[in-house]
Structures are given as C-alpha cells and as structure tokens.
Amino acid sequence: MPTVLLVSKALAPPWNDSSKNLARDVAAGLDAYEPVVLGDGAGRWRPPRGRVEPLYAAPSAYAPGLSAQLRVLRRLALGRRESLWHFFFAPNPRSSLAGRALATVRRAPTVQTVCSRPRDLAGARRLLFADRTVVLSRHTRDALRDAGVPDERLALV
C-alpha cells in the first residue's frame, strides 16, 4: 500500500491546535494510503493503521522550536521517501522554501494544506510550493486565486 508522510506538529495530546487536529483526522481517515505521522516519542496516540515516527522530543508548542524544525528537515532530506508528502502548516517563506527544495531533490509528490490563511498574499505563489494546495474555505481559495495562484493547483475541502 502506498504511504503518505503527514508533516505537521507532533500528533499527540493535548488536542488544542487545529492544524494538528486536522492532520490527526486525515491520518485516521485514510483508506488508500498508509499514514506515517510525526509523534512525540511517548506513544500517546497512534492512527488506526500506519505508523508513528517519534521525531519530536515533546509535544510541540504553537510553533515548534528550531531543533524540532531541524529534525523535520533531516527526516525529509535523509529519511525514507514515502509515496506522498502532505504538509500541514500556515505558509511562511522559510518553511515553503525548505519544502520546495527537499521535495524537488527527493522527487516527492506533495500536498500542502493551508491551515491558516497568510495575512499577506503578495508572495502567495512562492509560499504555495506543493503540487496541490488544499484550502479550507472559499474565502481563502478566492484570495489565493486573486493573488495569482492557478486554479488547477487549488483544492477546496
């Protein structure tokens, strides 16, 4: 079965962050792919099927620290290349640049779910690096279209 790596904060309690809740629910609902999720090493949550990679030292705060970000980059650069990489985060220049570069080098198909609409959409085309970008509202989809993101790259849930 093909695998999908869900690139997110640690999927572990507490469940007080919408982006990791969304990643958790996607992992739990996958039928055609086996999920590979990034956990905190404590094993407090597992998807119904698939596996957890204990990448994070502890449950992440709102924004994971530099050491956690470096571990994610190392995993993407050197770890097993799953069939698909699915990113869950609010687009920002540094993460988008790293995601684009690593996906290109590793030839990994990508999906990027925009969990929070960026305040400034001037550079939206650069921030959205994945093959397909999932948006959670018509408002965000329309704003990204207006910012020049091609409609065929956007998927509305």
Side-chain angles (χ1 to χ4, degrees):
M1 177 177 283
T3 56
V4 59
L5 175 65
L6 283 74
V7 183
S8 67
K9 298 173 186 176
L11 294 191
W15 301 110
N16 57 359
D17 181 293
S18 61
S19 67
K20 74 178 186 177
N21 291 344
L22 179 59
R24 176 199 63 199
D25 293 347
V26 167
L30 286 176
D31 291 328
Y33 287 83
E34 177 184 339
V36 178
V37 303
L38 306 179
D40 67 358
R44 296 177 294 152
W45 182 81
R46 301 190 68 74
R49 48 188 219 7
R51 68 182 189 277
V52 176
E53 291 189 10
L55 190 77
Y56 293 99
S60 42
Y62 178 73
L66 181 60
S67 65
Q69 292 174 20
L70 291 174
R71 283 192 301 277
V72 172
L73 289 176
R74 184 176 191 279
R75 165 55 175 93
L76 292 173
L78 303 172
R80 179 177 163 184
R81 190 180 79 83
E82 310 303 336
S83 306
L84 176 75
W85 292 352
H86 189 157
F87 295 85
F88 293 84
F89 58 83
N92 65 73
R94 184 174 51 187
S95 296
S96 294
L97 176 65
R100 176 182 292 111
L102 290 168
T104 299
V105 169
R106 299 288 311 269
R107 296 185 177 148
T110 54
V111 172
Q112 179 181 10
T113 294
V114 177
C115 298
S116 301
R117 179 185 177 274
R119 285 187 183 140
D120 181 12
L121 294 175
R125 290 181 76 151
R126 288 187 312 276
L127 292 176
L128 303 177
F129 62 89
D131 301 318
R132 294 286 286 181
T133 300
V134 177
V135 294
L136 306 179
S137 71
R138 287 185 182 99
H139 177 75
T140 298
R141 179 198 59 199
D142 295 345
L144 291 172
R145 279 181 184 163
D146 293 345
V149 177
D151 200 40
E152 61 271 6
R153 287 188 51 211
L154 298 172
L156 172 65
V157 173

